[in-house]
């Protein structure tokens, strides 16, 4: 990105130079022309020496010297100008192309806006800015008998490009959601819009997407690819934390109000009563029959026999999750034997190649090439300092330790924690040590199974680590299950027992739900729905 910025400046500079050269050439041309007119030989009376239609031509002598030299100089001048202008043109080309793309983008977005708001009236159901809304629906029984008028939740679209790829959205727009108020809009599905027009609408929807919670998107928001701590990334991180807090707040509210019994159930049904984000973050709208019509019309949608077992809403796009989920996604945890995180260097590890882990508050913790989580501190040699893994896979960054346990707080003779090693063990356990540190044995999980209290970490043997900050990590139960909810099903690839995701109907939630809520819904599916 910065490289491109530099190119742009160069292009603009040279364009200015090109303009100046052009102007000089033009002025010179005009000056020469004027001069020529004034210095032209007066024709009057000259017909005495020459015939009226004859101009005396140059002598041989003149032709071979002055005239030849002049012609050659002129040719050289033209050649120089051509040679100079061509590279200028070439240098200005990226800028010109960029400008053209920008203009084209603007045109696309303008046309998309028109379609969204007037032409196709997406706005009527999905709301201005894609915040979601409802669609009128006639509710019928299995025999097609009229039962009543109802409102079908039309999901928020201001996150749709975080949940689906553009191809998947195109598919939904082409074919609609049969059986739901979402009609087929594209010509392949018999709708009125061309594929070009669908592209316009998708481009327009791109302008109102909310903050993505995907760590990689947050990373890309920054200037430098590898810097977790640059300004752009930090701003995106803050926006992501805010959005995640808002979602968690809504989940908590629904629990406080007694709408749902567990966090997992609340996430599965997110927005059932409140209409939060128009149900776009819920699972049940596709996996529970009648969910999109709401609890007034289909009052039993939380009952175990219906919830998640219902083969999708009347549009029939989801299917039963009751039974068989654990079989599809066996228990495999993220925990490695060190009590830590996935080893990103082991190609056998699911998620191999990942260079960060995601904390509960959405912060990205960089991993080194051995999969060790790193703090943002470095030691005297500039080497990054690893976190200490504490109970439950949480990470602690502790600066001091003492082998003395003083109930009154951190002992005054607490020693600086040697950053190069996990935690330092004194030579003579139980004594206040003033001597040198020795190479300590690496702490095991058992050592760390102590309590964390504010800034101090009590180790299992009552030694004390102080100045700690603990980063909470969400627990994992099944990597494969979690990954499926994060990534969804790919367009054109049948997935799982349903095998119907050619349409990419199962969205990925990794960019719209925080990791702890994804884990909660995974647990809900594994423990509660699985029993049904
Ligand atoms: C008559 C109301 C209505 C109109 C008009 C409408 N939609 Fe929809 N749309 C819906 C409903 C309802 C759903 C949810 C269907 C379901 O439950 O599966 C939906 C679903 C979608 C989805 C899938 C989103 C998801 O998360 O599952 C997309 C994308 C979408 N609409 C885009 C559009 C666009 C773009 C337009 C305009 C070209 C449009 N819709 C016009 C009612 C409408
Ligand atoms: C827009 C509709 C839709 C939404 C929303 C949705 N799903 Fe799905 N889901 C599907 C479809 C369709 C499939 C089947 C995919 C296939 O077979 O290819 C599926 C499959 C699954 C499966 C695989 C089951 C198996 O045994 O193979 C799981 C698990 C699942 N969904 C969980 C969830 C969770 C959790 C959420 C909410 C965070 C969710 N779904 C939201 C449509 C949806």
């Amino acid at each position: 990105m910065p490289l491109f910025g530099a190119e742009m400046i160069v292009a603009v500079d040279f364009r200015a130079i090109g303009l100046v050269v052009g102007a000089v050439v033009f002025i010179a041309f005009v000056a020469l022309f004027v001069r020529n007119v004034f210095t032209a030989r007066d024709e009057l009376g000259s017909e005495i020496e020459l015939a009226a239609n004859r101009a005396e031509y140059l002598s041989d002598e003149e032709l071979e010297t002055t005239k030849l030299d002049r012609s050659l100089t002129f040719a050289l001048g033209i050649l120089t100008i051509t040679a100079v202008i061509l590279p200028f043109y070439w240098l200005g080309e990226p800028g010109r192309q960029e400008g053209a793309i920008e203009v084209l983008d603007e045109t696309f977005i303008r046309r998309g806006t028109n379609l969204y708001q007037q032409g196709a009236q997406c706005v009527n159901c999905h709301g201005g800015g894609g915040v979601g809304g409802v669609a009128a629906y006639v509710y019928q029984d299995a025999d097609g008998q009229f039962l009543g008028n109802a409102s079908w939740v039309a999901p928020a679209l201001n996150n749709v490009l975080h949940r689906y790829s553009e191809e998947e959205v195109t598919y939904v727009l082409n074919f609609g959601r049969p059986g739901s108020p979402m009609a087929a809009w594209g010509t392949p599905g018999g709708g009125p819009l061309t594929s070009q027009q669908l592209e316009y609408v998708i481009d327009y929807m791109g302008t109102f997407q909310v903050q993505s919670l995907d760590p990689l998107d947050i990373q890309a928001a920054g200037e430098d690819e590898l810097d977790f701590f640059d300004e752009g990334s930090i701003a995106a991180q803050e926006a992501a934390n805010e959005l995640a807090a808002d979602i968690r707040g809504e989940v908590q509210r629904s629990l406080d109000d007694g709408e749902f019994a567990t966090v997992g159930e609340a996430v599965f049904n997110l927005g059932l009563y409140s209409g939060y984000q128009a149900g776009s973050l819920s699972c049940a709208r596709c996996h529970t029959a009648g969910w999109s019509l709401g609890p007034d019309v289909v009052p039993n949608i939380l009952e175990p026999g219906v919830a998640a077992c219902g083969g999708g809403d009347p549009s029939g796009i989801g299917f039963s999750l009751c039974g068989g989920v654990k079989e599809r996604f066996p228990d495999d945890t993220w925990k490695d034997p060190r009590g830590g995180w996935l080893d990103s260097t082991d190609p056998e590890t699911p998620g191999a190649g990942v260079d960060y882990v995601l904390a509960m508050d959405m912060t990205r913790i960089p991993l080194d090439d051995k999969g060790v989580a790193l703090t943002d501190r470095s030691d005297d040699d500039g080497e990054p300092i690893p976190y200490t893994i504490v109970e439950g896979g949480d990470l602690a960054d502790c600066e001091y330790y003492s082998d003395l346990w003083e109930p009154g707080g951190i002992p005054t003779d607490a020693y600086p924690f040697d950053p190069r090693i996990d935690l330092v063990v004194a030579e003579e356990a139980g004594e206040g040590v003033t001597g040198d540190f020795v190479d300590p044995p690496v702490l095991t999980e058992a050592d760390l199974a102590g309590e964390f209290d504010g800034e101090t970490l009590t180790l299992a043997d009552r030694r004390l680590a102080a100045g700690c900050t603990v980063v909470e990590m969400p627990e994992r139960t099944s990597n494969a299950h979690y990954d499926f909810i994060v990534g969804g099903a790919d367009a054109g690839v049948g997935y799982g027992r349903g095998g119907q995701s050619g349409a990419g109907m199962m969205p990925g939630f990794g960019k719209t739900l925080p990791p702890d809520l994804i884990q909660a819904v995974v647990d809900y599916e594994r423990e509660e729905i699985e029993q049904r």
Side-chain angles (χ1 to χ4, degrees), residues 94-215:
R96 195 196 61 78
Q97 282 179 1
E98 179 63 17
I101 289 170
E102 220 168 85
V103 168
L104 210 65
D105 275 352
E106 277 167 19
T107 313
F108 273 38
I109 287 167
R110 200 182 54 245
R111 290 180 181 161
T113 316
N114 286 340
L115 282 167
Y116 187 92
Q117 279 160 3
Q118 281 132 33
Q121 312 248 315
C122 321
V123 68
N124 285 354
C125 300
H126 292 286
V131 296
V134 290
Y137 180 69
V138 176
Y139 190 40
Q140 299 165 325
D141 68 12
D143 302 327
Q145 293 295 307
F146 173 83
L147 287 178
N149 290 308
S151 291
W152 190 304
V153 177
L157 298 179
N158 60 8
N159 55 18
V160 76
L161 294 172
H162 297 328
R163 293 183 284 113
Y164 290 117
S165 70
E166 280 191 23
E167 293 79 65
E168 289 161 353
V169 174
T170 308
Y171 189 97
V172 175
L173 294 183
N174 268 329
F175 299 103
R177 287 265 168 79
S180 90
M182 178 64 187
W185 288 97
T187 20
L193 303 184
T194 64
S195 59
Q196 180 72 78
Q197 285 174 310
L198 295 187
E199 217 178 296
Y200 296 154
V201 177
I202 293 174
D203 277 1
Y204 170 59
M205 293 198 289
T207 64
F208 58 58
Q209 298 300 295
V210 296
Q211 172 66 45
S212 158
L213 302 186
D214 183 336

Side-chain angles (χ1 to χ4, degrees), residues 79-335:
L79 195 68
T80 312
I81 288 172
T82 315
V84 167
I85 283 179
L86 268 183
F88 281 168
Y89 181 83
W90 173 72
L91 278 167
E93 185 59 9
R96 195 196 61 78
Q97 282 179 1
E98 179 63 17
I101 289 170
E102 220 168 85
V103 168
L104 210 65
D105 275 352
E106 277 167 19
T107 313
F108 273 38
I109 287 167
R110 200 182 54 245
R111 290 180 181 161
T113 316
N114 286 340
L115 282 167
Y116 187 92
Q117 279 160 3
Q118 281 132 33
Q121 312 248 315
C122 321
V123 68
N124 285 354
C125 300
H126 292 286
V131 296
V134 290
Y137 180 69
V138 176
Y139 190 40
Q140 299 165 325
D141 68 12
D143 302 327
Q145 293 295 307
F146 173 83
L147 287 178
N149 290 308
S151 291
W152 190 304
V153 177
L157 298 179
N158 60 8
N159 55 18
V160 76
L161 294 172
H162 297 328
R163 293 183 284 113
Y164 290 117
S165 70
E166 280 191 23
E167 293 79 65
E168 289 161 353
V169 174
T170 308
Y171 189 97
V172 175
L173 294 183
N174 268 329
F175 299 103
R177 287 265 168 79
S180 90
M182 178 64 187
W185 288 97
T187 20
L193 303 184
T194 64
S195 59
Q196 180 72 78
Q197 285 174 310
L198 295 187
E199 217 178 296
Y200 296 154
V201 177
I202 293 174
D203 277 1
Y204 170 59
M205 293 198 289
T207 64
F208 58 58
Q209 298 300 295
V210 296
Q211 172 66 45
S212 158
L213 302 186
D214 183 336
L216 289 178
D217 288 350
I218 292 169
Q219 183 67 68
E223 285 283 310
D224 190 286
E225 280 271 334
L226 295 170
D227 188 358
F228 279 85
F229 304 106
D230 67 6
E231 261 177 50
S233 290
I234 289 170
Q237 183 79 70
E238 279 167 5
N241 288 346
E242 220 168 275
L243 181 56
D246 193 64
I247 298 171
R248 290 194 190 101
E250 165 62 14
V251 167
Q252 192 53 51
R253 185 210 56 75
S254 70
L255 291 174
D256 293 345
D257 290 355
E259 292 172 3
F260 308 108
T262 62
V263 174
E265 189 188 30
V267 177
F268 197 82
N269 293 287
L270 198 58
L272 175 61
Y273 296 99
S274 66
Y276 185 73
Q277 297 205 22
S280 63
L281 300 183
S282 76
C283 316
R285 77 185 170 93
C286 294
H287 290 292
T288 299
W291 193 92
S292 293
L293 299 177
D296 294 341
V297 179
V298 190
N300 57 349
I301 50 183
L302 285 183
E303 272 169 29
V306 176
C309 307
D313 58 30
S315 73
I317 58 167
F319 70 99
S320 173
L321 298 178
C322 298
V325 169
K326 272 195 169 177
E327 207 176 297
R328 280 260 299 113
F329 305 112
D331 273 322
D332 62 340
T333 84
W334 287 65
K335 276 202 162 184

Side-chain angles (χ1 to χ4, degrees), residues 217-509:
D217 288 350
I218 292 169
Q219 183 67 68
E223 285 283 310
D224 190 286
E225 280 271 334
L226 295 170
D227 188 358
F228 279 85
F229 304 106
D230 67 6
E231 261 177 50
S233 290
I234 289 170
Q237 183 79 70
E238 279 167 5
N241 288 346
E242 220 168 275
L243 181 56
D246 193 64
I247 298 171
R248 290 194 190 101
E250 165 62 14
V251 167
Q252 192 53 51
R253 185 210 56 75
S254 70
L255 291 174
D256 293 345
D257 290 355
E259 292 172 3
F260 308 108
T262 62
V263 174
E265 189 188 30
V267 177
F268 197 82
N269 293 287
L270 198 58
L272 175 61
Y273 296 99
S274 66
Y276 185 73
Q277 297 205 22
S280 63
L281 300 183
S282 76
C283 316
R285 77 185 170 93
C286 294
H287 290 292
T288 299
W291 193 92
S292 293
L293 299 177
D296 294 341
V297 179
V298 190
N300 57 349
I301 50 183
L302 285 183
E303 272 169 29
V306 176
C309 307
D313 58 30
S315 73
I317 58 167
F319 70 99
S320 173
L321 298 178
C322 298
V325 169
K326 272 195 169 177
E327 207 176 297
R328 280 260 299 113
F329 305 112
D331 273 322
D332 62 340
T333 84
W334 287 65
K335 276 202 162 184
D336 71 17
R338 295 166 305 175
W341 292 87
L342 73 164
D343 182 350
S344 61
T345 54
D346 177 1
E348 295 292 303
T349 309
V354 180
D355 60 359
Y356 60 86
V357 288
L358 193 55
M360 204 95 112
D361 69 349
M362 310 293 302
T363 320
R364 291 145 304 141
I365 313 292
L367 296 176
D368 69 8
D369 57 3
K370 301 203 171 51
V372 176
L374 301 174
T375 67
D376 57 0
R377 293 184 297 130
S378 48
D379 63 17
D380 295 343
D381 302 330
E383 292 297 315
I385 299 176
Y387 279 105
T388 307
I389 298 160
V390 292
E391 204 184 5
D394 288 346
L395 304 175
D397 181 7
C398 300
E399 304 208 37
Y400 301 95
Y401 110 100
S402 168
D403 68 340
L404 285 178
W405 166 237
E406 301 275 349
I410 304 165
T412 45
D413 55 349
Y415 297 102
F417 169 53
D418 185 335
R420 287 160 306 176
I421 39 194
D422 276 358
L423 268 182
V424 184
V425 179
E427 196 153 11
E428 304 268 346
E431 288 181 11
V433 174
T434 50
D436 294 334
F437 290 123
V438 295
D439 264 359
V442 173
L443 289 176
T444 66
E445 233 184 306
D447 291 324
L448 295 165
E451 298 153 38
F452 176 70
D453 168 32
E455 290 221 313
T456 55
L457 180 69
T458 311
L459 305 181
D461 63 359
R462 310 307 283 167
R463 278 175 300 138
L464 190 70
C468 303
T469 46
V470 168
V471 183
E472 279 183 274
M473 299 304 240
E475 286 186 25
R476 304 278 197 261
T477 45
S478 165
N479 225 347
H481 194 164
Y482 183 93
D483 282 352
F484 180 71
I485 309 299
V486 163
D490 287 337
V493 184
Y495 193 101
R497 292 170 302 148
Q500 50 184 309
S501 66
M505 291 301 193
M506 169 69 188
F509 288 89

